[in-house]
Amino acid sequence: MIKKAIFPAAGLGTRFLPATKSQPKEMLPLVDKPLIQYGVEEAVASGIKNIIIITGRGKNAIEDHFDVSFELEKFLEMRNDFEKLQIVKSISAMVSFAYIRQKEAMGLGHAIFTAKELLNTDPFAVILGDDIIISETPCIKQMIKIFSKKQATIIAIKKVPKSEIHHYGVIEAEEIDSRLFKVKSLVEKPSARQAPSDYAIIGRYILTSGIFKTIIKVKPDAKGEIQLTDAINLLIKEEPVYAYEFAGTRYDAGSKMGFLIATVEIALRRKDLGKDFRNYLMNLDLSEF
Ligand code: G1P
């Protein structure tokens, strides 16, 4: 049904300079796994078979990461380190990867448009790697379930405090079922005063191919970016659009504070590290800082 997922990854990652000067933001590790791999694993666990990563200059490390690493595999084999060998091999075996270069930084809508030829008329998922979602049922899988009933565009949402709403796309919608909303309109990064609700768009979408017809109608914003939110807002005039308040915890690993929180909490959730890390935190003398 939904077999393809797009991962926009062409951004320059300036919020994480100097770490991102010669390294893609998507490769920064949360504990020991690159950011983008969390999203890829979520997609794979949701039944996605083809992953399309939209890259740009300086992003080769992402392609290498999801490729076979012959030397490393041979080295680990010689050392009989089968546990690590399995970790390394499973990355490239996960799913098929395709890469497209977004030649200009013209925003999320533009990034998605670059994948048009690879998608034909199939509906597809979009995963923004900065949003890490930890949940019992993978977030995209929850959304695919809704899609199978509605056969329409589904946007992931979460309630956020008013003081943070200006960082997000925000929906105006009517609740039609538990966690499910029919969207009336969307606005990208409104002020707290202008926000139509407390429901923010989180970086998971299931989109129909109708989006390509509306992306081309969107005018670039003040920063010269073609916003996906604006394209979905136009799509509402053509077809129904739903928003789904997914179950799970979301971390905004695209901000420094969010990245730190994600690192701490993901480490605490880990079977191999959680107990020791928890002990360390419990005994930490905060008065020293
Ligand atoms: C993008 C979207 C925004 C959404 C956000 C979620 O913004 O444009 O609507 O709320 O992702 O993370 P960005 O964070 O890329 O500026």
Side-chain angles (χ1 to χ4, degrees), residues 233-279:
N233 205 23
L234 293 178
L235 190 66
I236 295 171
K237 298 195 181 93
E238 314 290 330
E239 21 178 294
V241 170
Y242 297 90
Y244 181 65
E245 192 180 7
F246 61 94
T249 305
R250 172 256 179 180
Y251 300 104
D252 171 18
S255 73
K256 278 181 204 167
M257 196 57 201
F259 190 92
L260 286 172
I261 294 170
T263 303
V264 170
E265 295 196 12
I266 286 171
L268 284 168
R269 288 171 194 271
R270 283 269 295 251
K271 284 201 183 81
D272 56 340
L273 294 166
K275 205 165 152 238
D276 289 348
F277 190 49
R278 189 187 179 87
N279 283 338

Short mmCIF file of all heavy atoms in Angstrom, two decimals, residues 233-279:
data_model
loop_
_atom_site.label_atom_id
_atom_site.label_comp_id
_atom_site.label_asym_id
_atom_site.label_seq_id
_atom_site.Cartn_x
_atom_site.Cartn_y
_atom_site.Cartn_z
N ASN A 233 -2.29 22.98 2.24
CA ASN A 233 -3.40 23.92 2.40
C ASN A 233 -4.19 24.06 1.09
O ASN A 233 -5.41 24.11 1.09
CB ASN A 233 -2.85 25.27 2.88
CG ASN A 233 -3.89 26.07 3.63
OD1 ASN A 233 -4.84 25.51 4.18
ND2 ASN A 233 -3.74 27.36 3.64
N LEU A 234 -3.46 24.08 -0.02
CA LEU A 234 -4.14 24.14 -1.34
C LEU A 234 -4.81 22.81 -1.67
O LEU A 234 -5.87 22.77 -2.29
CB LEU A 234 -3.12 24.49 -2.44
CG LEU A 234 -2.51 25.89 -2.40
CD1 LEU A 234 -1.50 26.05 -3.54
CD2 LEU A 234 -3.60 26.96 -2.54
N LEU A 235 -4.18 21.72 -1.22
CA LEU A 235 -4.73 20.38 -1.51
C LEU A 235 -6.12 20.21 -0.89
O LEU A 235 -6.97 19.50 -1.45
CB LEU A 235 -3.76 19.32 -0.97
CG LEU A 235 -4.03 17.86 -1.36
CD1 LEU A 235 -3.85 17.66 -2.87
CD2 LEU A 235 -3.10 16.91 -0.60
N ILE A 236 -6.34 20.87 0.25
CA ILE A 236 -7.63 20.74 0.95
C ILE A 236 -8.80 21.15 0.06
O ILE A 236 -9.90 20.65 0.19
CB ILE A 236 -7.61 21.59 2.26
CG1 ILE A 236 -6.59 21.01 3.22
CG2 ILE A 236 -8.99 21.64 2.92
CD1 ILE A 236 -6.33 21.87 4.42
N LYS A 237 -8.52 22.05 -0.88
CA LYS A 237 -9.59 22.50 -1.80
C LYS A 237 -9.93 21.40 -2.81
O LYS A 237 -11.00 21.40 -3.40
CB LYS A 237 -9.15 23.76 -2.55
CG LYS A 237 -8.91 24.92 -1.60
CD LYS A 237 -8.83 26.25 -2.35
CE LYS A 237 -8.56 27.38 -1.39
NZ LYS A 237 -7.12 27.69 -1.24
N GLU A 238 -8.99 20.46 -3.02
CA GLU A 238 -9.19 19.41 -4.04
C GLU A 238 -9.63 18.08 -3.43
O GLU A 238 -10.36 17.33 -4.04
CB GLU A 238 -7.87 19.15 -4.80
CG GLU A 238 -7.13 20.39 -5.26
CD GLU A 238 -7.85 21.11 -6.39
OE1 GLU A 238 -8.54 20.42 -7.16
OE2 GLU A 238 -7.75 22.35 -6.48
N GLU A 239 -9.08 17.73 -2.24
CA GLU A 239 -9.36 16.42 -1.64
C GLU A 239 -9.34 16.53 -0.11
O GLU A 239 -8.78 17.49 0.42
CB GLU A 239 -8.35 15.36 -2.10
CG GLU A 239 -7.04 15.88 -2.64
CD GLU A 239 -6.06 14.78 -3.02
OE1 GLU A 239 -5.60 14.05 -2.14
OE2 GLU A 239 -5.75 14.68 -4.22
N PRO A 240 -9.97 15.55 0.58
CA PRO A 240 -9.93 15.63 2.04
C PRO A 240 -8.53 15.42 2.60
O PRO A 240 -7.73 14.67 2.02
CB PRO A 240 -10.86 14.49 2.49
CG PRO A 240 -11.02 13.61 1.30
CD PRO A 240 -10.74 14.42 0.09
N VAL A 241 -8.24 16.11 3.70
CA VAL A 241 -6.95 15.97 4.38
C VAL A 241 -7.25 15.74 5.86
O VAL A 241 -8.07 16.45 6.45
CB VAL A 241 -6.08 17.24 4.17
CG1 VAL A 241 -4.85 17.23 5.06
CG2 VAL A 241 -5.68 17.40 2.70
N TYR A 242 -6.58 14.77 6.45
CA TYR A 242 -6.80 14.44 7.86
C TYR A 242 -5.53 14.67 8.66
O TYR A 242 -4.42 14.65 8.13
CB TYR A 242 -7.23 12.98 7.99
CG TYR A 242 -8.54 12.70 7.30
CD1 TYR A 242 -8.57 12.30 5.96
CD2 TYR A 242 -9.75 12.87 7.97
CE1 TYR A 242 -9.77 12.07 5.31
CE2 TYR A 242 -10.95 12.64 7.33
CZ TYR A 242 -10.96 12.25 5.99
OH TYR A 242 -12.15 12.04 5.36
N ALA A 243 -5.72 14.88 9.97
CA ALA A 243 -4.57 14.98 10.87
C ALA A 243 -4.76 13.92 11.94
O ALA A 243 -5.89 13.67 12.38
CB ALA A 243 -4.51 16.36 11.49
N TYR A 244 -3.67 13.30 12.34
CA TYR A 244 -3.75 12.21 13.31
C TYR A 244 -2.80 12.48 14.47
O TYR A 244 -1.60 12.69 14.27
CB TYR A 244 -3.38 10.90 12.60
CG TYR A 244 -3.46 9.71 13.52
CD1 TYR A 244 -4.68 9.31 14.05
CD2 TYR A 244 -2.32 8.98 13.86
CE1 TYR A 244 -4.76 8.22 14.91
CE2 TYR A 244 -2.40 7.90 14.71
CZ TYR A 244 -3.63 7.52 15.23
OH TYR A 244 -3.70 6.46 16.07
N GLU A 245 -3.40 12.48 15.67
CA GLU A 245 -2.58 12.68 16.88
C GLU A 245 -2.01 11.33 17.28
O GLU A 245 -2.66 10.54 17.96
CB GLU A 245 -3.47 13.26 17.99
CG GLU A 245 -2.68 13.78 19.15
CD GLU A 245 -3.58 14.34 20.25
OE1 GLU A 245 -4.82 14.21 20.17
OE2 GLU A 245 -3.02 14.89 21.21
N PHE A 246 -0.81 11.05 16.81
CA PHE A 246 -0.23 9.72 17.00
C PHE A 246 0.09 9.44 18.48
O PHE A 246 0.26 10.38 19.27
CB PHE A 246 1.05 9.58 16.15
CG PHE A 246 2.11 10.58 16.53
CD1 PHE A 246 3.10 10.25 17.44
CD2 PHE A 246 2.13 11.84 15.97
CE1 PHE A 246 4.08 11.17 17.80
CE2 PHE A 246 3.10 12.77 16.32
CZ PHE A 246 4.07 12.43 17.24
N ALA A 247 0.18 8.16 18.79
CA ALA A 247 0.57 7.75 20.15
C ALA A 247 2.08 7.58 20.17
O ALA A 247 2.63 6.91 19.29
CB ALA A 247 -0.12 6.44 20.49
N GLY A 248 2.75 8.20 21.11
CA GLY A 248 4.21 8.06 21.20
C GLY A 248 4.85 9.33 21.70
O GLY A 248 4.21 10.37 21.79
N THR A 249 6.14 9.21 22.01
CA THR A 249 6.90 10.38 22.48
C THR A 249 7.73 10.90 21.33
O THR A 249 8.38 10.12 20.63
CB THR A 249 7.85 9.97 23.63
OG1 THR A 249 7.06 9.35 24.63
CG2 THR A 249 8.58 11.16 24.21
N ARG A 250 7.69 12.22 21.15
CA ARG A 250 8.43 12.82 20.05
C ARG A 250 9.53 13.73 20.59
O ARG A 250 9.32 14.47 21.55
CB ARG A 250 7.43 13.60 19.19
CG ARG A 250 8.06 14.43 18.12
CD ARG A 250 8.04 15.88 18.53
NE ARG A 250 8.67 16.69 17.52
CZ ARG A 250 8.80 17.99 17.62
NH1 ARG A 250 8.32 18.64 18.66
NH2 ARG A 250 9.42 18.67 16.70
N TYR A 251 10.70 13.60 20.00
CA TYR A 251 11.82 14.48 20.37
C TYR A 251 12.18 15.34 19.16
O TYR A 251 12.26 14.83 18.05
CB TYR A 251 13.05 13.65 20.76
CG TYR A 251 12.80 12.74 21.93
CD1 TYR A 251 12.61 11.37 21.74
CD2 TYR A 251 12.74 13.23 23.22
CE1 TYR A 251 12.37 10.53 22.82
CE2 TYR A 251 12.51 12.41 24.30
CZ TYR A 251 12.32 11.05 24.09
OH TYR A 251 12.08 10.22 25.15
N ASP A 252 12.41 16.61 19.41
CA ASP A 252 12.85 17.50 18.34
C ASP A 252 14.37 17.54 18.33
O ASP A 252 14.98 18.42 18.93
CB ASP A 252 12.27 18.91 18.57
CG ASP A 252 12.88 19.90 17.59
OD1 ASP A 252 13.44 19.46 16.56
OD2 ASP A 252 12.80 21.12 17.86
N ALA A 253 14.96 16.57 17.64
CA ALA A 253 16.43 16.50 17.62
C ALA A 253 17.05 17.54 16.69
O ALA A 253 18.26 17.57 16.52
CB ALA A 253 16.86 15.09 17.24
N GLY A 254 16.22 18.40 16.12
CA GLY A 254 16.72 19.45 15.24
C GLY A 254 17.12 20.71 15.99
O GLY A 254 17.69 21.62 15.43
N SER A 255 16.81 20.76 17.31
CA SER A 255 17.28 21.89 18.12
C SER A 255 18.27 21.34 19.15
O SER A 255 18.23 20.16 19.49
CB SER A 255 16.10 22.55 18.84
OG SER A 255 15.65 21.72 19.91
N LYS A 256 19.15 22.21 19.63
CA LYS A 256 20.18 21.73 20.56
C LYS A 256 19.56 21.15 21.83
O LYS A 256 19.94 20.08 22.30
CB LYS A 256 21.13 22.87 20.94
CG LYS A 256 22.18 23.07 19.87
CD LYS A 256 23.14 24.17 20.26
CE LYS A 256 23.72 24.69 18.97
NZ LYS A 256 24.43 25.92 19.09
N MET A 257 18.59 21.88 22.36
CA MET A 257 17.95 21.42 23.60
C MET A 257 17.23 20.08 23.37
O MET A 257 17.37 19.15 24.16
CB MET A 257 16.97 22.51 24.06
CG MET A 257 16.52 22.37 25.46
SD MET A 257 17.90 22.36 26.62
CE MET A 257 17.10 21.59 27.99
N GLY A 258 16.50 20.02 22.26
CA GLY A 258 15.77 18.78 21.93
C GLY A 258 16.72 17.62 21.72
O GLY A 258 16.44 16.49 22.12
N PHE A 259 17.85 17.92 21.10
CA PHE A 259 18.86 16.88 20.84
C PHE A 259 19.41 16.33 22.17
O PHE A 259 19.58 15.12 22.34
CB PHE A 259 19.99 17.49 20.01
CG PHE A 259 20.96 16.48 19.48
CD1 PHE A 259 20.76 15.92 18.22
CD2 PHE A 259 22.06 16.09 20.21
CE1 PHE A 259 21.65 14.97 17.72
CE2 PHE A 259 22.96 15.15 19.72
CZ PHE A 259 22.75 14.60 18.47
N LEU A 260 19.65 17.24 23.10
CA LEU A 260 20.17 16.82 24.41
C LEU A 260 19.13 15.97 25.15
O LEU A 260 19.46 14.93 25.72
CB LEU A 260 20.52 18.04 25.27
CG LEU A 260 21.79 18.77 24.85
CD1 LEU A 260 21.92 20.07 25.64
CD2 LEU A 260 23.01 17.90 25.07
N ILE A 261 17.88 16.43 25.13
CA ILE A 261 16.81 15.68 25.82
C ILE A 261 16.68 14.28 25.20
O ILE A 261 16.60 13.28 25.91
CB ILE A 261 15.46 16.45 25.74
CG1 ILE A 261 15.57 17.76 26.53
CG2 ILE A 261 14.30 15.59 26.26
CD1 ILE A 261 14.40 18.73 26.33
N ALA A 262 16.71 14.24 23.85
CA ALA A 262 16.59 12.94 23.17
C ALA A 262 17.74 12.03 23.56
O ALA A 262 17.54 10.84 23.83
CB ALA A 262 16.56 13.16 21.66
N THR A 263 18.95 12.59 23.63
CA THR A 263 20.11 11.77 23.97
C THR A 263 19.95 11.16 25.36
O THR A 263 20.14 9.95 25.56
CB THR A 263 21.40 12.63 23.92
OG1 THR A 263 21.50 13.20 22.61
CG2 THR A 263 22.64 11.83 24.24
N VAL A 264 19.55 11.99 26.32
CA VAL A 264 19.41 11.52 27.70
C VAL A 264 18.31 10.46 27.78
O VAL A 264 18.50 9.37 28.34
CB VAL A 264 19.10 12.71 28.65
CG1 VAL A 264 18.70 12.22 30.03
CG2 VAL A 264 20.30 13.64 28.73
N GLU A 265 17.16 10.76 27.18
CA GLU A 265 16.02 9.84 27.35
C GLU A 265 16.20 8.55 26.55
O GLU A 265 15.79 7.48 27.01
CB GLU A 265 14.71 10.57 27.01
CG GLU A 265 14.44 11.70 28.01
CD GLU A 265 13.01 12.21 27.98
OE1 GLU A 265 12.15 11.58 27.37
OE2 GLU A 265 12.78 13.27 28.60
N ILE A 266 16.81 8.65 25.40
CA ILE A 266 17.04 7.42 24.62
C ILE A 266 18.08 6.55 25.33
O ILE A 266 17.92 5.33 25.40
CB ILE A 266 17.41 7.75 23.16
CG1 ILE A 266 16.14 8.21 22.44
CG2 ILE A 266 18.01 6.54 22.43
CD1 ILE A 266 16.31 8.77 21.06
N ALA A 267 19.08 7.18 25.92
CA ALA A 267 20.07 6.41 26.70
C ALA A 267 19.37 5.72 27.88
O ALA A 267 19.64 4.56 28.18
CB ALA A 267 21.19 7.33 27.18
N LEU A 268 18.46 6.44 28.53
CA LEU A 268 17.74 5.85 29.68
C LEU A 268 16.85 4.68 29.25
O LEU A 268 16.63 3.75 30.01
CB LEU A 268 16.88 6.91 30.37
CG LEU A 268 17.65 7.91 31.25
CD1 LEU A 268 16.75 9.07 31.65
CD2 LEU A 268 18.22 7.23 32.49
N ARG A 269 16.35 4.73 28.01
CA ARG A 269 15.48 3.65 27.53
C ARG A 269 16.27 2.42 27.09
O ARG A 269 15.71 1.36 26.87
CB ARG A 269 14.69 4.13 26.29
CG ARG A 269 13.60 5.12 26.58
CD ARG A 269 13.06 5.65 25.26
NE ARG A 269 12.24 6.82 25.42
CZ ARG A 269 10.93 6.79 25.64
NH1 ARG A 269 10.30 5.64 25.71
NH2 ARG A 269 10.25 7.91 25.78
N ARG A 270 17.58 2.58 26.91
CA ARG A 270 18.37 1.48 26.34
C ARG A 270 18.60 0.37 27.36
O ARG A 270 19.00 0.63 28.49
CB ARG A 270 19.71 2.04 25.86
CG ARG A 270 19.62 2.79 24.56
CD ARG A 270 19.84 1.90 23.38
NE ARG A 270 21.20 1.40 23.40
CZ ARG A 270 22.15 1.78 22.53
NH1 ARG A 270 21.89 2.65 21.58
NH2 ARG A 270 23.37 1.28 22.61
N LYS A 271 18.44 -0.87 26.89
CA LYS A 271 18.63 -2.02 27.79
C LYS A 271 20.08 -2.12 28.26
O LYS A 271 20.36 -2.45 29.40
CB LYS A 271 18.25 -3.32 27.06
CG LYS A 271 16.76 -3.53 26.94
CD LYS A 271 16.45 -5.02 26.69
CE LYS A 271 14.96 -5.20 26.50
NZ LYS A 271 14.54 -4.86 25.11
N ASP A 272 21.02 -1.84 27.34
CA ASP A 272 22.43 -2.02 27.68
C ASP A 272 23.00 -0.88 28.51
O ASP A 272 24.00 -1.05 29.19
CB ASP A 272 23.26 -2.22 26.40
CG ASP A 272 23.07 -1.07 25.41
OD1 ASP A 272 22.07 -0.34 25.52
OD2 ASP A 272 23.95 -0.89 24.54
N LEU A 273 22.40 0.30 28.47
CA LEU A 273 22.98 1.47 29.13
C LEU A 273 22.09 2.06 30.22
O LEU A 273 22.58 2.75 31.12
CB LEU A 273 23.20 2.60 28.10
CG LEU A 273 24.21 2.40 27.00
CD1 LEU A 273 24.01 3.46 25.93
CD2 LEU A 273 25.61 2.52 27.59
N GLY A 274 20.80 1.83 30.08
CA GLY A 274 19.80 2.53 30.89
C GLY A 274 20.08 2.50 32.39
O GLY A 274 20.04 3.55 33.04
N LYS A 275 20.39 1.32 32.91
CA LYS A 275 20.53 1.17 34.36
C LYS A 275 21.73 1.99 34.87
O LYS A 275 21.60 2.78 35.82
CB LYS A 275 20.72 -0.32 34.69
CG LYS A 275 20.30 -0.68 36.08
CD LYS A 275 20.17 -2.18 36.22
CE LYS A 275 20.43 -2.55 37.65
NZ LYS A 275 21.52 -3.49 37.80
N ASP A 276 22.86 1.82 34.23
CA ASP A 276 24.07 2.54 34.67
C ASP A 276 23.91 4.05 34.50
O ASP A 276 24.33 4.84 35.35
CB ASP A 276 25.29 2.10 33.84
CG ASP A 276 25.72 0.68 34.21
OD1 ASP A 276 25.22 0.17 35.24
OD2 ASP A 276 26.51 0.11 33.44
N PHE A 277 23.28 4.45 33.40
CA PHE A 277 23.12 5.87 33.13
C PHE A 277 22.18 6.51 34.15
O PHE A 277 22.40 7.62 34.64
CB PHE A 277 22.61 6.07 31.70
CG PHE A 277 22.64 7.50 31.22
CD1 PHE A 277 23.78 8.27 31.36
CD2 PHE A 277 21.54 8.07 30.61
CE1 PHE A 277 23.81 9.59 30.92
CE2 PHE A 277 21.55 9.38 30.17
CZ PHE A 277 22.69 10.13 30.33
N ARG A 278 21.15 5.77 34.50
CA ARG A 278 20.19 6.23 35.50
C ARG A 278 20.89 6.44 36.84
O ARG A 278 20.73 7.47 37.49
CB ARG A 278 19.11 5.16 35.64
CG ARG A 278 17.94 5.57 36.45
CD ARG A 278 17.04 4.35 36.66
NE ARG A 278 15.92 4.75 37.47
CZ ARG A 278 14.82 5.27 36.97
NH1 ARG A 278 14.68 5.41 35.69
NH2 ARG A 278 13.86 5.66 37.77
N ASN A 279 21.72 5.46 37.22
CA ASN A 279 22.48 5.58 38.48
C ASN A 279 23.38 6.81 38.45
O ASN A 279 23.48 7.55 39.44
CB ASN A 279 23.35 4.34 38.71
CG ASN A 279 22.51 3.19 39.21
OD1 ASN A 279 21.41 3.41 39.75
ND2 ASN A 279 22.98 1.98 39.02
#
